[in-house]
Amino acid sequence: GVAQLRERAEIFVGLTLTQWFSQLVLGLIIVVGLGYLGFGRQVSIFSGSALAAVLASIYMWRVGADGVCWSEFWKTLKVGVTFIPHSASITGARLLMAWLLSFLVGPEGVGVYTIAVTFAILLEVPLQAIANAAYPTLAGLMRDGSADARRQQSRFYALLVSGTIFLVLAMLLLAPIAITILTAAKFHVAIPINSLLIVAWMFQGLYLTVSQPIFFKGGGKYMTAASLISLLVMADLAVWLIPTYGLVGAGLAMIGSYFSRFIIAAYFSHRVYPLKWDLRPICLIALVAGGIGGIDWFVLREGMPWLVSLPIKLVLLAGMVPMVVLTGLVSRAEWVKVKGQIRNRLSRRAPEGKS
């Protein structure tokens, strides 16, 4: 139910924030204190991930040690091993891009790219949390496999994709303001690069959605194929585009990489679990989001002070909310029910806030 989804999402977000915080702290210690020995950011990434894995293992053992089915554990482990190349290639793509940029654009270009990609990577926390929280429900629907379950799954996918589009649009509108406020003027050239990278991470979010059936079926080889091919696409596009277009070429290479991963995963997902998608509301929401993005790109970024553009952007972003009903993604009755539940929750918390 919703309570279980919320609990899983909170656990995953907690572990992810723990991983990021530990990477930050360990990164400072390792790079500053042990940099002369050749240790760098890669060590901090591994250390943070390892710490998050240990905490996750401790939690899982505490809540489920009495009910561990070791035969299922070893079966799951055997399947999970096939996903290792896939997981390694995701981190490898970013490290490879950083390495290529160090040769093709120099240290200053790497600094600008780092600012641009930092704000794009922020999308990973909500996108990954949503995907992990939604997986048990999707797995239950796929396990059922009936016509009604497939209909519910198709609608669930439409909600997930629409949510991804909304998050990406919010980041596209607000990240330029954040970069303007939080970074020095010399790094403001990262804004258009950041927008390209946010689009790339949109395809990463879509990939997380369409790959759910592959995870359910244990198709690690398909995920690995998608990831390795996308890695080759990125390297090829980077070598071809960066010398001519600079950091814009790097952003386009990342878009090509994540787009290819999404397309390949979508193909294999349909192959292992055919499903008819409800594309109409998705296309309508994407069309409106594209229009808002165009207004931001061609009008609001053309020399307009951020204090003026910010309220306009918030109004445009709020305009996406009615699209949930207008596109038929959620019925009017469901929308009224959701508003009523929110109102009830707020009314119950109001006295607590006053006391």
Short mmCIF file of all heavy atoms in Angstrom, two decimals, residues 269-292:
data_model
loop_
_atom_site.label_atom_id
_atom_site.label_comp_id
_atom_site.label_asym_id
_atom_site.label_seq_id
_atom_site.Cartn_x
_atom_site.Cartn_y
_atom_site.Cartn_z
N SER A 269 12.65 -4.48 -22.53
CA SER A 269 11.55 -4.53 -21.57
C SER A 269 10.28 -5.03 -22.26
O SER A 269 9.56 -5.88 -21.72
CB SER A 269 11.32 -3.14 -20.97
OG SER A 269 10.21 -3.13 -20.11
N HIS A 270 10.00 -4.50 -23.44
CA HIS A 270 8.82 -4.95 -24.18
C HIS A 270 8.97 -6.40 -24.64
O HIS A 270 7.99 -7.13 -24.75
CB HIS A 270 8.60 -4.04 -25.39
CG HIS A 270 7.35 -4.36 -26.16
ND1 HIS A 270 6.09 -4.06 -25.68
CD2 HIS A 270 7.16 -4.97 -27.36
CE1 HIS A 270 5.18 -4.46 -26.56
NE2 HIS A 270 5.80 -5.02 -27.59
N ARG A 271 10.20 -6.79 -24.85
CA ARG A 271 10.46 -8.17 -25.29
C ARG A 271 10.19 -9.18 -24.18
O ARG A 271 9.61 -10.25 -24.43
CB ARG A 271 11.90 -8.29 -25.77
CG ARG A 271 12.28 -9.64 -26.33
CD ARG A 271 13.68 -9.60 -26.89
NE ARG A 271 14.14 -10.92 -27.30
CZ ARG A 271 15.34 -11.18 -27.83
NH1 ARG A 271 16.18 -10.17 -28.02
NH2 ARG A 271 15.68 -12.40 -28.16
N VAL A 272 10.60 -8.85 -22.96
CA VAL A 272 10.42 -9.80 -21.85
C VAL A 272 9.03 -9.68 -21.22
O VAL A 272 8.55 -10.63 -20.60
CB VAL A 272 11.50 -9.61 -20.77
CG1 VAL A 272 12.89 -9.82 -21.35
CG2 VAL A 272 11.40 -8.24 -20.10
N TYR A 273 8.39 -8.50 -21.37
CA TYR A 273 7.06 -8.30 -20.77
C TYR A 273 6.28 -7.31 -21.63
O TYR A 273 6.27 -6.11 -21.34
CB TYR A 273 7.19 -7.78 -19.34
CG TYR A 273 5.90 -7.81 -18.55
CD1 TYR A 273 5.52 -8.95 -17.86
CD2 TYR A 273 5.05 -6.70 -18.53
CE1 TYR A 273 4.33 -8.99 -17.15
CE2 TYR A 273 3.86 -6.73 -17.82
CZ TYR A 273 3.51 -7.88 -17.13
OH TYR A 273 2.33 -7.91 -16.43
N PRO A 274 5.63 -7.79 -22.70
CA PRO A 274 4.87 -6.89 -23.59
C PRO A 274 3.76 -6.16 -22.82
O PRO A 274 3.03 -6.77 -22.06
CB PRO A 274 4.30 -7.83 -24.65
CG PRO A 274 5.17 -9.06 -24.59
CD PRO A 274 5.59 -9.19 -23.16
N LEU A 275 3.68 -4.86 -23.05
CA LEU A 275 2.68 -4.06 -22.36
C LEU A 275 2.27 -2.89 -23.24
O LEU A 275 3.11 -2.21 -23.84
CB LEU A 275 3.25 -3.53 -21.04
CG LEU A 275 2.29 -2.74 -20.14
CD1 LEU A 275 1.26 -3.68 -19.53
CD2 LEU A 275 3.06 -2.01 -19.05
N LYS A 276 0.97 -2.64 -23.32
CA LYS A 276 0.45 -1.51 -24.08
C LYS A 276 0.42 -0.28 -23.19
O LYS A 276 -0.26 -0.23 -22.18
CB LYS A 276 -0.95 -1.81 -24.61
CG LYS A 276 -1.52 -0.70 -25.47
CD LYS A 276 -2.91 -1.06 -25.98
CE LYS A 276 -3.48 0.08 -26.84
NZ LYS A 276 -4.85 -0.26 -27.34
N TRP A 277 1.20 0.74 -23.57
CA TRP A 277 1.30 1.95 -22.78
C TRP A 277 0.17 2.92 -23.12
O TRP A 277 -0.29 2.98 -24.26
CB TRP A 277 2.65 2.62 -23.04
CG TRP A 277 3.79 2.00 -22.31
CD1 TRP A 277 4.17 0.69 -22.35
CD2 TRP A 277 4.69 2.66 -21.45
NE1 TRP A 277 5.26 0.49 -21.55
CE2 TRP A 277 5.62 1.69 -20.99
CE3 TRP A 277 4.84 3.96 -21.01
CZ2 TRP A 277 6.65 2.00 -20.12
CZ3 TRP A 277 5.88 4.28 -20.14
CH2 TRP A 277 6.76 3.29 -19.71
N ASP A 278 -0.24 3.69 -22.12
CA ASP A 278 -1.20 4.77 -22.32
C ASP A 278 -0.39 6.03 -22.65
O ASP A 278 -0.01 6.81 -21.77
CB ASP A 278 -2.04 4.97 -21.07
CG ASP A 278 -3.16 5.98 -21.28
OD1 ASP A 278 -3.36 6.39 -22.44
OD2 ASP A 278 -3.82 6.35 -20.30
N LEU A 279 -0.13 6.25 -23.94
CA LEU A 279 0.78 7.31 -24.36
C LEU A 279 0.12 8.68 -24.47
O LEU A 279 0.83 9.70 -24.48
CB LEU A 279 1.41 6.94 -25.70
CG LEU A 279 2.33 5.70 -25.69
CD1 LEU A 279 2.82 5.41 -27.10
CD2 LEU A 279 3.50 5.91 -24.75
N ARG A 280 -1.20 8.74 -24.60
CA ARG A 280 -1.86 10.03 -24.83
C ARG A 280 -1.55 11.05 -23.73
O ARG A 280 -1.09 12.17 -24.03
CB ARG A 280 -3.37 9.83 -24.97
CG ARG A 280 -4.13 11.13 -25.22
CD ARG A 280 -5.64 10.89 -25.34
NE ARG A 280 -6.35 12.14 -25.47
CZ ARG A 280 -6.71 12.90 -24.44
NH1 ARG A 280 -6.41 12.50 -23.20
NH2 ARG A 280 -7.35 14.04 -24.64
N PRO A 281 -1.81 10.76 -22.44
CA PRO A 281 -1.51 11.77 -21.41
C PRO A 281 -0.03 12.09 -21.31
O PRO A 281 0.34 13.24 -21.06
CB PRO A 281 -2.03 11.12 -20.11
CG PRO A 281 -2.10 9.67 -20.40
CD PRO A 281 -2.42 9.55 -21.85
N ILE A 282 0.83 11.09 -21.55
CA ILE A 282 2.27 11.33 -21.50
C ILE A 282 2.68 12.33 -22.58
O ILE A 282 3.43 13.28 -22.31
CB ILE A 282 3.04 10.01 -21.66
CG1 ILE A 282 2.75 9.07 -20.49
CG2 ILE A 282 4.55 10.28 -21.75
CD1 ILE A 282 3.39 7.71 -20.63
N CYS A 283 2.19 12.12 -23.79
CA CYS A 283 2.55 13.00 -24.91
C CYS A 283 2.03 14.42 -24.67
O CYS A 283 2.73 15.40 -24.97
CB CYS A 283 2.01 12.44 -26.22
SG CYS A 283 2.80 10.91 -26.76
N LEU A 284 0.81 14.55 -24.15
CA LEU A 284 0.24 15.87 -23.90
C LEU A 284 1.04 16.62 -22.82
O LEU A 284 1.34 17.81 -22.96
CB LEU A 284 -1.22 15.74 -23.48
CG LEU A 284 -2.20 15.31 -24.57
CD1 LEU A 284 -3.60 15.08 -23.98
CD2 LEU A 284 -2.27 16.35 -25.69
N ILE A 285 1.38 15.91 -21.75
CA ILE A 285 2.16 16.54 -20.68
C ILE A 285 3.56 16.90 -21.19
O ILE A 285 4.09 17.98 -20.88
CB ILE A 285 2.23 15.60 -19.47
CG1 ILE A 285 0.88 15.58 -18.76
CG2 ILE A 285 3.32 16.04 -18.49
CD1 ILE A 285 0.79 14.64 -17.59
N ALA A 286 4.16 16.03 -21.99
CA ALA A 286 5.48 16.33 -22.56
C ALA A 286 5.42 17.54 -23.48
O ALA A 286 6.34 18.37 -23.51
CB ALA A 286 6.01 15.11 -23.31
N LEU A 287 4.33 17.66 -24.24
CA LEU A 287 4.16 18.79 -25.15
C LEU A 287 4.07 20.11 -24.38
O LEU A 287 4.72 21.10 -24.73
CB LEU A 287 2.92 18.58 -26.01
CG LEU A 287 2.67 19.60 -27.13
CD1 LEU A 287 3.79 19.54 -28.15
CD2 LEU A 287 1.33 19.33 -27.81
N VAL A 288 3.26 20.12 -23.32
CA VAL A 288 3.13 21.33 -22.50
C VAL A 288 4.45 21.67 -21.81
O VAL A 288 4.87 22.83 -21.77
CB VAL A 288 2.00 21.15 -21.46
CG1 VAL A 288 1.95 22.35 -20.51
CG2 VAL A 288 0.66 21.00 -22.15
N ALA A 289 5.12 20.64 -21.27
CA ALA A 289 6.41 20.86 -20.62
C ALA A 289 7.43 21.41 -21.61
O ALA A 289 8.22 22.30 -21.27
CB ALA A 289 6.91 19.55 -20.00
N GLY A 290 7.41 20.90 -22.84
CA GLY A 290 8.31 21.41 -23.86
C GLY A 290 8.04 22.86 -24.19
O GLY A 290 8.97 23.65 -24.39
N GLY A 291 6.75 23.25 -24.23
CA GLY A 291 6.40 24.64 -24.47
C GLY A 291 6.90 25.55 -23.36
O GLY A 291 7.45 26.63 -23.61
N ILE A 292 6.73 25.11 -22.11
CA ILE A 292 7.21 25.90 -20.96
C ILE A 292 8.74 26.00 -20.99
O ILE A 292 9.31 27.06 -20.74
CB ILE A 292 6.72 25.27 -19.65
CG1 ILE A 292 5.20 25.38 -19.54
CG2 ILE A 292 7.38 25.95 -18.44
CD1 ILE A 292 4.60 24.68 -18.34
#
